[in-house]
Amino acid sequence: MNEDATTNETITLTKGSAELPHIYIPYNPAHIERIRRIKGRTWESKQKVWIIPYTTSAIQEFMNQFDSEDVQIAPELWVESEDLQQKLAREVMHGAKSRYRRH
């Protein structure tokens, strides 16, 4: 387990090196199948982390693939990602509690 994840079941999206989002994810065949749907994703075996492009489509695809209750998103991505900011703003406007957890 890495220091960014809080439990064995938590999927954690962080800002990795070279400004590429890193996804720390517990091994689960269903999760692996979903993450493989993200175009441009790669697996870094030494760090045991999935890396996705820092693009609108990759971030949206990630958000669509996973249940928000299982995902934690690093604060720097909330600040930098316009897609995440817009999603949060829409949920706040509709009176919904944010579905994605910040850590």
Side-chain angles (χ1 to χ4, degrees), residues 75-90:
E76 64 269 17
L77 290 176
W78 283 104
V79 171
E80 294 178 6
S81 174
E82 192 172 310
D83 294 322
L84 290 173
Q85 289 176 16
Q86 289 175 0
K87 184 168 190 58
L88 180 61
R90 281 192 304 272

Side-chain angles (χ1 to χ4, degrees), residues 43-103:
W43 170 249
E44 175 53 57
S45 60
K46 288 182 183 179
Q47 295 179 37
K48 297 185 180 185
V49 63
W50 287 96
I51 300 171
I52 62 172
Y54 204 175
T55 63
T56 299
S57 61
I59 296 290
Q60 286 178 342
E61 186 61 29
F62 171 78
M63 292 187 311
N64 290 336
Q65 290 297 328
F66 295 97
D67 182 353
S68 60
E69 294 298 315
D70 296 332
V71 176
Q72 286 191 334
I73 299 174
E76 64 269 17
L77 290 176
W78 283 104
V79 171
E80 294 178 6
S81 174
E82 192 172 310
D83 294 322
L84 290 173
Q85 289 176 16
Q86 289 175 0
K87 184 168 190 58
L88 180 61
R90 281 192 304 272
E91 290 177 2
V92 169
M93 282 180 21
H94 291 97
K97 182 179 173 186
S98 179
R99 295 177 356 145
Y100 292 92
R101 295 180 285 161
R102 300 178 194 194
H103 71 182

